[in-house]
Amino acid sequence: MKKLRQHLKDYLALRRKFGFKLRVQGGLLAQFVCFAKAKRAAFVTTQLALEWATQPAESQPAQWANRLGMVRGFAKYLSAVDARTVIPPQGLLPHSFQRKSPYHYCDREILDLIRKAKELPSPKGLRGETFSTLFGLLAVTGMRVGEVVHLERECVDLQQAVITVHHAKGERSRVVPIHASTNQALRRYERLRNRVCPHPASSRFFLSEDGDHLTERAVASWFVRVSRQTGLRGQDDGCGPRLHDLRHRFAIRTLLRWYRTDKDVEAHLPELATYLGHRSVTDTYWYLSAVPELLRQAARRCERSNGGRLS
């Protein structure tokens, strides 16, 4: 009979054929298989799944529930090939992920981030420009961090002033038009990058000091360092404004601008959803309930349309 490790390889291969990347889930399930091996467990049981899922003890309960859900999916697959498998019942860890309210950066905070990023230690003179340009691009386009980090050079068309995002969340591609000032900033970075790294080890648009590709973890680490220098976080703070909040800021400012200029938000919302790469327009609607100012604007619009009465 196959070992759990081989079953996991088969399970991940099968799901990836259907388009699932499973980068995080694959790594975590590999940890589960190692955990099972250490426990000398040859098959999945509810107790084994619970014991692994509730680690580490300091994690949020929602994270425990997420880990158990991953094992549950694997166990469903295993039950068809190993009758000893026990599928953990639903509801054992009934915690759900609560979407964090976005931090709404002000203009000064964005400028401070970019300025401090430029001052990062950089033996070849590239690191500061890489991160200042990258942070600025996130702020003005609302792109996801992973999308910017994985941009290939060929995807950044500075002649047409558009960025093509391939293999985004949900395996969807989209075109992101950019402003003339953004285009100029990217051109400046491109010239410096080509001068510092004439023979790079990576074809990505944004490069590290040694000419290799960036990782999302490295970007997050440098962001934390810069955000502490600007006062967005305390020196020992593990939590605080996130890079992803730059995406939220873009969406929120766009919606506020539409409301303040009396645009038909309902009609334009699908455009914003497409620009952001949201799977559904309902993902964009979330901002209306997450930001008090947007709720007030929506309420005023509703009140005007109902002759001064809120229905």
Side-chain angles (χ1 to χ4, degrees), residues 19-33:
F20 296 97
K21 293 183 179 180
L22 303 175
R23 293 193 185 104
V24 175
Q25 295 93 325
L28 287 172
L29 285 173
Q31 292 178 21
F32 169 71
V33 168

Side-chain angles (χ1 to χ4, degrees), residues 59-215:
S59 291
Q60 295 295 320
Q63 183 60 32
W64 294 343
N66 187 43
R67 286 160 65 92
L68 183 61
M70 293 179 194
V71 177
R72 193 169 185 276
F74 180 39
K76 284 182 179 180
Y77 165 83
L78 283 173
S79 65
V81 294
D82 187 345
R84 299 174 298 172
T85 302
V86 178
I87 302 173
Q90 288 186 327
L92 288 178
L93 297 175
H95 306 283
S96 60
F97 173 72
Q98 298 297 318
R99 196 169 184 179
K100 185 178 179 180
S101 296
Y103 179 82
H104 195 185
Y105 291 93
C106 67
D107 291 344
R108 179 188 57 78
E109 290 169 332
I110 298 292
L111 292 174
D112 284 347
L113 274 175
I114 294 173
R115 177 176 55 81
K116 279 296 181 183
K118 279 182 176 288
E119 299 171 1
L120 286 172
S122 181
K124 296 182 180 180
L126 185 62
R127 180 180 293 130
E129 292 299 325
T130 293
F131 287 104
S132 62
T133 307
L134 190 152
F135 294 162
L137 184 62
L138 290 172
V140 299
T141 63
M143 293 173 66
R144 299 179 178 93
V145 178
E147 292 171 348
V148 171
V149 168
H150 290 91
L151 275 178
E152 295 287 331
R153 294 189 187 197
E154 62 185 20
C155 295
V156 183
D157 186 345
L158 300 181
Q159 292 293 327
Q160 300 297 322
V162 294
I163 293 173
T164 303
V165 180
H166 292 301
H167 308 299
K169 190 174 182 180
E171 290 296 321
R172 293 179 305 279
S173 298
R174 71 185 189 280
V175 174
V176 179
I178 55 176
H179 190 269
S181 60
T182 304
N183 198 53
Q184 290 177 353
L186 293 177
R187 283 185 183 277
R188 285 195 298 271
Y189 174 74
E190 182 182 57
R191 288 194 294 268
L192 175 64
R193 181 204 65 201
N194 292 345
R195 187 169 67 250
V196 175
C197 304
H199 305 291
S202 171
S203 59
R204 299 271 175 84
F205 185 82
F206 289 104
L207 299 178
S208 64
E209 279 281 290
D210 58 3
D212 208 344
H213 67 271
L214 298 173
T215 66

Side-chain angles (χ1 to χ4, degrees), residues 34-46:
C34 290
F35 178 81
K37 183 178 180 180
K39 293 288 184 178
R40 300 183 183 278
F43 55 93
V44 176
T45 65
T46 298

Side-chain angles (χ1 to χ4, degrees), residues 274-285:
T274 300
Y275 188 89
L276 291 171
H278 282 159
R279 180 176 302 175
S280 167
V281 73
T282 55
D283 295 329
T284 315
Y285 268 116

Side-chain angles (χ1 to χ4, degrees), residues 224-270:
V224 168
R225 176 170 174 167
V226 172
S227 63
R228 285 173 175 167
Q229 291 175 349
T230 62
L232 279 170
R233 295 174 181 233
Q235 291 304 309
D236 299 318
D237 286 353
C239 299
R242 306 163 299 165
L243 266 177
H244 194 68
D245 289 325
L246 293 173
R247 175 173 168 84
H248 294 323
R249 175 184 183 270
F250 177 86
I252 292 165
R253 286 172 66 91
T254 300
L255 289 169
L256 283 173
R257 185 170 65 251
W258 286 348
Y259 272 115
R260 290 166 179 166
T261 55
D262 283 330
K263 285 200 173 183
D264 188 342
V265 177
E266 289 288 329
H268 286 284
L269 209 57

